Amino acid sequence: MSWIEALILGLLQGLTEYLPVSSSGHLAIGSALFGIEGEENLTFTIVVHVATVLSTLVILWKEIDWIFKGLFKCRLNEETKYVLNILVSMIPIGIVGVFFKDTVEEIFGSGLMVVGCMLLVTAVLLIYSYYAKPRSKEQISLKDAFIIGLAQACAVLPGLSRSGTTIATGLLLGNKKESLAQFSFLMVIPPIVGEALLDGLKIMKEASTAEAGLSTLSLCIGFLAAFLSGCAACQWMITIVKKGKLVYFGLYCAVVGAVTLICSVLS
């Protein structure tokens, strides 16, 4: 992987991690176009995912600080309830990670047909959530947190946007737009960090970075590109959700999904 390819893929990951267009789907498409696969692709994917997690910590630091300060008070307050919601939302993705990790990895290596189909599913979710008008709720309940967590577990499929799926599900449940983006971004931090640690240990056992064909320069450039673009996209996405403009991303996913399907059939 050249440093230019690392720069492009890093920017792609950072921007699409938070925008509801599927970072995994776009990264799979970009990797296919550059001919990057196997251990090289896995190593780079882990690095840029860690970069986007760090960008979340930077942008949402005030909210994270608020949560930890509340937890140290050692009583059932708003901060503790928020953490409980996040923990409950992690149950489905934890089950998938423990029991179905190999199956998910096989799906990721099955080509762009799945990516195209899941991008179309993302489009349907975003467009439907835009026009649906459920009864509004004041707070995200434990039940809603679990359902949103189920949506996040389904979004392990390449092309099914994690942020788009979780936010659209929350909107369909009647939760307020103002709180959904923040909750969606915070709930993904523990699973991504845990997955990155497990995959990192796997790579250290099986192959070194050099053996994977990645230079230190490419990794650093990819990391910085993903981090900086992730910071911008995270802040932008929070504003977009508050304004309720997700339908345009639904139309984008529909176009990209259709083009990806056509290309995969013709190739």
Side-chain angles (χ1 to χ4, degrees):
M1 180 188 296
S2 68
W3 70 267
I4 295 178
E5 291 171 341
L7 175 64
I8 294 172
L9 291 177
L11 290 172
L12 194 63
Q13 163 64 25
L15 290 173
T16 57
E17 177 65 35
Y18 300 105
L19 300 181
V21 294
S22 176
S23 61
S24 61
H26 281 73
L27 207 56
I29 294 171
S31 298
L33 291 174
F34 290 138
I36 301 167
E37 56 185 17
E39 206 69 43
E40 183 180 10
N41 190 25
L42 176 60
T43 305
F44 185 80
T45 300
I46 293 171
V47 169
V48 294
H49 267 94
V50 171
T52 49
V53 168
L54 291 177
S55 68
T56 306
L57 297 178
V58 170
I59 298 300
L60 298 178
W61 176 249
K62 289 183 179 180
E63 289 77 8
I64 295 171
D65 182 56
W66 166 74
I67 291 172
F68 276 103
K69 285 181 177 178
L71 284 176
F72 287 133
K73 293 177 182 178
C74 298
R75 62 172 182 265
L76 188 62
N77 50 27
E78 290 301 316
E79 296 89 336
T80 307
K81 292 178 182 177
Y82 200 94
V83 172
L84 284 175
N85 281 344
I86 291 178
L87 291 175
V88 168
S89 74
M90 289 167 51
I91 294 174
I93 193 68
I95 293 173
V96 171
V98 172
F99 297 104
F100 302 102
K101 192 175 191 306
D102 293 337
T103 303
V104 172
E105 289 180 353
E106 288 177 8
I107 294 174
F108 265 82
S110 60
L112 295 181
M113 178 71 75
V114 174
V115 174
C117 291
M118 291 301 102
L119 280 169
L120 292 178
V121 173
T122 300
V124 172
L125 275 172
L126 292 174
I127 293 172
Y128 182 67
S129 67
Y130 178 77
Y131 289 105
K133 303 296 181 183
R135 182 180 298 178
S136 180
K137 301 177 182 178
E138 288 299 319
Q139 294 180 331
I140 300 174
S141 66
L142 284 174
K143 178 183 176 182
D144 288 354
F146 183 76
I147 296 174
I148 294 172
L150 287 174
Q152 177 176 242
C154 293
V156 298
L157 296 171
L160 190 58
S161 169
R162 189 204 60 78
S163 63
T165 303
T166 53
I167 291 173
T169 300
L171 290 174
L172 291 172
L173 290 171
N175 291 293
K176 289 186 175 180
K177 296 178 289 185
E178 293 78 5
S179 59
L180 272 174
Q182 174 183 306
F183 183 75
S184 174
F185 296 158
L186 289 176
M187 68 184 280
V188 77
I189 294 176
I192 288 184
V193 171
E195 182 184 7
L197 288 174
L198 291 175
D199 286 336
L201 291 173
K202 177 182 177 182
I203 290 173
M204 289 174 64
K205 290 180 179 179
E206 296 182 357
S208 66
T209 298
E211 290 171 337
L214 281 166
S215 67
T216 302
L217 177 62
S218 294
L219 282 177
C220 290
I221 289 176
F223 180 90
L224 287 174
F227 173 75
L228 294 175
S229 59
C231 286
C234 184
Q235 188 64 60
W236 186 29
M237 184 59 184
I238 292 173
T239 303
I240 291 172
V241 173
K242 288 180 179 179
K243 293 181 178 179
K245 301 296 183 181
L246 297 181
V247 65
Y248 300 114
F249 292 100
L251 297 175
Y252 169 82
C253 287
V255 173
V256 176
V259 171
T260 302
L261 273 179
I262 293 171
C263 292
S264 64
V265 170
L266 296 178
S267 62

